[in-house]
Amino acid sequence: MDIRSRVNEKVKNKDFGIDDFIPEYNAVIANLNGLMQRTSDASIIKTIIFRLSQCYQLMNKTNELKSFVDKLLGIKKMEDYSPYIKRHLMPYYIDQKDYSSALAIADEIIKVASSDEDLLCEMLYEKALIYKYSLNELERADAFFNEIVNKYPENIMTRFANSELGKKNSSERNVIKPNDEIVVSHKNDLDINNYPNPFNPTTTISFTLPSDGRVTIKVYDMLGREVKTLVNDFKSTGSYSIIWDSKDNYSNEVSSGIYFYNIKFKDNSVTKKMLLVR
């Protein structure tokens, strides 16, 4: 049974703890490191770096993540991937509340990421989140959200930037509140995702309904206990976004860790995982 199957089984039985999976995660890390040493394919290397970062964050081991990143940066073979490696230092500095270092990394990457629009937009978005939620500098945050929207209108990050801006029109600004919903577009498949992930302290959960009907979206902790009901209503066909502010049903802030968000629509149910890092 793979890690995902074991996680699903334990969540179903309300018997979940990240410590149960440390050996498996360590084995995955070892295998990915081995594969990275054997391949020269740029896309595979970038994917491996991302997956390794995820493993450390899911185990709540940001110190080990930093050591891993520092080690990679010292390998000559990895010089061409420096921007993709350094971006994974940001969770460590955010976890340490060293926002100036996190912003400096983003600025450094932005200077050299002109040929990679996705990475550039991610860094602009990460900067905006830090200014908005960690430093409470809303005007500076909005400037970066607007830069994404205006310069890169076709990039997927524009969708999230628009959600953060919450604009009704060009002259009227409507600040989106946690748990407010935005209808984005119309699609034909049931789908749900969140960004950013990991996050602190908010994440935007986007979902698409293939037809009209009642939908529920709930957040659960690692033990399978309900934390927050985000949606419980009849909705029309289309795509929506809703912000979770990492608070429970009683408006209490929840602790750092792994959470699961589930959408139920008619006979369909989809569950995905997210990581809150305070």
Side-chain angles (χ1 to χ4, degrees):
M1 185 181 294
D2 61 19
I3 294 179
R4 181 178 298 177
S5 298
R6 286 189 61 198
V7 169
N8 291 338
E9 185 65 25
K10 282 184 171 288
V11 169
K12 180 180 178 181
N13 295 330
K14 299 183 179 181
D15 179 29
F16 185 92
I18 193 63
D19 290 343
D20 296 336
F21 300 93
I22 296 299
E24 283 90 345
Y25 277 118
N26 286 333
V28 170
I29 288 172
N31 289 334
L32 288 173
N33 274 313
L35 177 59
M36 187 162 54
Q37 293 175 14
R38 297 191 299 272
T39 186
S40 58
D41 187 296
S43 62
I44 293 177
I45 290 175
K46 292 176 186 178
T47 300
I48 291 172
I49 293 170
F50 175 75
R51 294 303 181 191
L52 284 168
S53 175
Q54 277 191 320
C55 285
Y56 286 116
Q57 291 180 66
L58 289 170
M59 290 190 295
N60 297 323
K61 294 187 175 182
T62 54
N63 286 328
E64 291 190 20
L65 171 61
K66 184 177 185 301
S67 297
F68 159 71
V69 172
D70 288 341
K71 181 179 179 181
L72 282 185
L73 291 172
I75 299 175
K76 186 173 181 58
K77 174 185 175 181
M78 296 296 168
E79 287 180 353
D80 292 340
Y81 306 98
S82 177
Y84 306 96
I85 297 171
K86 286 184 178 179
R87 66 100 60 239
H88 296 292
L89 283 173
M90 293 185 71
Y92 168 79
Y93 287 116
I94 292 172
D95 188 47
Q96 299 294 316
K97 301 189 186 321
D98 184 355
Y99 304 119
S100 60
S101 293
L103 290 169
I105 290 171
D107 286 335
E108 181 181 348
I109 294 172
I110 288 170
K111 288 179 181 178
V112 299
S114 58
S115 61
D116 189 329
E117 182 181 299
D118 289 339
L119 181 61
L120 177 60
C121 287
E122 284 182 21
M123 292 299 95
L124 291 171
Y125 190 79
E126 293 289 349
K127 285 189 68 175
L129 292 180
I130 291 172
Y131 279 118
K132 183 172 183 178
Y133 295 109
S134 299
L135 300 177
N136 198 33
E137 296 184 29
L138 303 186
E139 290 187 2
R140 296 191 73 176
D142 282 1
F144 289 112
F145 288 135
N146 277 309
E147 184 174 351
I148 297 170
V149 172
N150 295 328
K151 290 186 177 180
Y152 312 99
E154 301 302 319
N155 194 279
I156 190 172
M157 298 309 302
T158 294
R159 177 172 176 175
F160 297 105
N162 271 324
S163 293
E164 293 289 343
L165 288 167
K167 288 184 176 179
K168 287 184 178 179
N169 55 50
S170 59
S171 62
E172 181 179 0
R173 184 171 180 275
N174 175 33
V175 179
I176 185 172
K177 300 176 182 178
N179 305 329
D180 282 355
E181 293 178 37
I182 304 172
V183 181
V184 180
S185 61
H186 291 275
K187 294 184 179 179
N188 296 317
D189 301 312
L190 177 65
D191 190 25
I192 189 166
N193 288 288
N194 78 298
Y195 191 92
N197 188 17
F199 65 98
N200 175 30
T202 67
T203 187
T204 300
I205 297 175
S206 302
F207 59 101
T208 301
L209 304 181
S211 60
D212 298 351
R214 176 164 289 278
V215 58
T216 60
I217 298 177
K218 295 185 177 183
V219 178
Y220 298 89
D221 65 15
M222 292 194 303
L223 300 178
R225 298 173 298 196
E226 180 181 324
V227 174
K228 179 76 174 183
T229 297
L230 295 173
V231 179
N232 184 14
D233 201 1
F234 185 92
K235 301 274 180 207
S236 301
T237 306
S239 294
Y240 301 78
S241 290
I242 186 166
I243 292 178
W244 182 44
D245 57 359
S246 65
K247 294 181 181 179
D248 64 18
N249 284 322
Y250 306 100
S251 298
N252 298 312
E253 291 187 348
V254 300
S255 59
S256 298
I258 297 172
Y259 293 88
F260 298 87
Y261 57 105
N262 169 266
I263 183 171
K264 289 185 179 179
F265 179 74
K266 298 183 178 179
D267 295 329
N268 298 316
S269 177
V270 178
T271 300
K272 293 190 177 180
K273 182 165 53 179
M274 54 186 168
L275 175 64
L276 169 62
V277 181
R278 291 196 183 277

